[in-house]
Amino acid sequence: MTASGILHEIEEWKARRNAVILAHSYQPPVIQDMADFVGDSLELSREAASADEAVILFCGVRFMAETAHILAPRKTVLFPEPAAGCPLADCIDAPSLKTLQEMHPDALTVLYVNSPADVKAESYACCTSANALEVVRGIPGDEVIFAPDRNLGTWVSRQTDKKLHIWNGACRPHSQADLDDLKKIRSEWPDAVILVHPETPPPMWDLSDEVLGTGGMIRFVDRSDARRFIIGTEEGMVYRLSTLFPDREFRAAGKIFCPNMKVTTPEKVLRSLKDMGPVVKLDADIRERAFASVSRMTEIGS
Ligand code: 13P
C-alpha cells in the first residue's frame, strides 16, 4: 500500500473505532503529522483524561500510554509498539523507593511521570518537566524525595528552599548531550536563543537562555521576537517547532536522539486500529493507587 493509502485507511479506521490519536513531540514527523493532538507529557495526560472518544491510540513511550490508562480507565488505550520503553523509567522500582521512603519518613515523594506504574502507586504526586517546580512547591512539607531523574531534581532544588533527596537516574539521550556540540552551534549562530530541557546536565543550562520542558519551549518561542533558536532536547522537537513556526529557524543542540520514540510507524498504527490491540492494561490495584498521584500532577501548573 502507498504511504497516502495507509494514511487514508487510518482515517477510516479511526472513525470506525471512535479513536483519537495522541502523539508526543518526540515522535517521527509522519506520526506528528497524522496525530489529532501533539503535545508534551502533561498536555497529553490532560488530553487523555478529557477525550470524548472511546479509544485513545497513544504514540509515545510506554509510561505515557500507561499514564493515559491510569487517568482514563474506562477508555481503551492502544499502544501500537509495546517494545517502546523508557530506560529512565526502568531505573527505579517500588521496593527501592520504599527503602528510600523509610530512610526519610518526613518526606513526601514527587515522582517524575517517566516512571513505572507500580512506583507511581507509592508516590504522593507525579510531575512532568512542565510543572515539577510547581508540584514540589505546592505539596505539604519541607522535605521531598524526588525521583527518578537527577538532572530535573537538581534543577528544581536550585529554585526551592525545600530539602530534596534526589534519585540518581537519568535519561540517556539528554544526559549525554554534548556541551562542545552546543558551543560549536552557538559560535555558528551567535544571535540564537538557546533553550534546553531540564533532563540535560547542569553545564548545558549554564550556557542556555532558558531551561524548559517541550511545551514551555513552544510557549517561549511563541512569545519571543527572536528569529533563531538552538534546541537542546530530543530532535523530534526541532520538527515540531519548525511546523508550528515556519517563519523562524531552529537547530538541534547536537545529537539528542531517543530510539524508543522513533519505533512508531503508520503501518503499526493502522494494524493497531484494525486489531484493537495491543491494549494497555495495568493491575487494577496499582492503577487505582497511582490515580491519586497522577491526578495531583494534572491539577497543578501550566
Ligand atoms: P516533556 O515533559 O517536555 O514532554 O518531556 C518528556 C520527556 O520524556 C523528556 O525526555
Side-chain angles (χ1 to χ4, degrees):
M1 207 188 310
T2 62
S4 66
I6 292 176
L7 296 182
H8 186 74
E9 270 216 51
I10 287 172
E11 284 305 312
E12 275 182 17
W13 278 90
K14 222 172 62 178
R16 199 178 300 185
R17 297 301 193 201
N18 186 21
V20 63
I21 297 182
L22 307 186
H24 191 269
S25 298
Y26 296 161
Q27 285 287 289
V30 66
I31 301 296
Q32 294 192 31
D33 291 348
M34 77 164 61
D36 297 297
F37 183 87
V38 184
D40 69 9
S41 302
L42 187 59
E43 292 161 346
L44 290 166
S45 299
R46 288 177 174 152
E47 197 65 24
S50 64
D52 292 330
E53 290 81 357
V55 176
I56 295 168
L57 188 140
F58 208 104
C59 302
V61 291
R62 191 182 316 118
F63 76 80
M64 296 179 176
E66 286 178 353
T67 303
H69 173 52
I70 290 166
L71 286 166
R74 276 188 284 277
K75 292 170 194 162
T76 301
V77 179
L78 298 175
F79 187 45
E81 180 44 87
C86 172
L88 168 60
D90 295 340
C91 81
I92 187 165
D93 57 49
S96 312
L97 177 64
K98 281 188 200 163
T99 303
L100 190 61
Q101 288 170 333
E102 281 161 19
M103 288 163 64
H104 304 289
D106 295 333
L108 291 177
T109 299
V110 173
L111 195 68
Y112 193 27
V113 73
N114 303 35
S115 51
D118 61 335
V119 185
K120 288 185 171 75
E122 304 301 333
S123 69
Y124 179 77
C126 284
C127 71
T128 75
S129 60
N131 66 358
L133 181 59
E134 286 159 292
V135 171
V136 167
R137 280 184 177 151
I139 64 168
D142 296 328
E143 209 182 325
V144 175
I145 292 172
F146 190 96
D149 190 90
R150 65 168 179 265
N151 288 330
L152 181 61
T154 302
W155 182 75
V156 169
S157 72
R158 283 189 181 186
Q159 300 168 80
T160 172
D161 292 335
K162 292 195 181 188
K163 182 167 177 46
L164 262 64
H165 306 283
I166 301 172
W167 191 271
N168 189 17
C171 160
R172 206 172 303 138
H174 279 98
S175 65
Q176 291 176 354
D178 191 333
L179 196 61
D180 289 334
D181 285 348
L182 177 56
K183 285 181 182 164
K184 181 170 174 294
I185 294 161
R186 188 184 60 164
S187 71
E188 291 164 5
W189 271 18
D191 58 324
V193 173
I194 304 174
L195 309 178
V196 301
H197 198 281
E199 285 180 14
T200 59
M204 294 283 288
W205 315 339
D206 300 337
L207 261 198
S208 75
D209 295 290
E210 293 287 336
V211 180
L212 296 164
T214 56
M217 289 180 184
I218 292 173
R219 289 187 286 278
F220 183 91
V221 173
D222 195 29
R223 287 193 306 266
S224 169
D225 293 329
R227 309 316 300 163
R228 287 176 151 181
F229 299 86
I230 298 169
I231 302 302
T233 190
E234 211 282 334
E235 62 180 38
M237 196 56 198
V238 173
Y239 178 76
R240 174 83 179 129
L241 287 163
S242 305
T243 58
L244 289 172
F245 306 101
D247 58 328
R248 320 285 183 96
E249 288 182 272
F250 301 94
R251 274 180 77 177
K255 188 85 189 148
I256 306 179
F257 177 81
C258 173
N260 287 293
M261 277 286 180
K262 306 304 182 199
V263 291
T264 324
T265 63
E267 289 80 0
K268 289 176 192 168
V269 169
L270 178 56
R271 183 80 271 143
S272 182
L273 286 168
K274 284 183 175 174
D275 293 352
M276 282 295 278
V279 171
V280 178
K281 239 348 299 106
L282 292 168
D283 176 88
D285 174 58
I286 287 173
R287 178 173 52 69
E288 280 162 19
R289 285 193 294 125
F291 179 79
S293 175
V294 176
S295 294
R296 287 192 178 101
M297 170 185 91
T298 58
E299 286 155 13
I300 299 177
S302 50

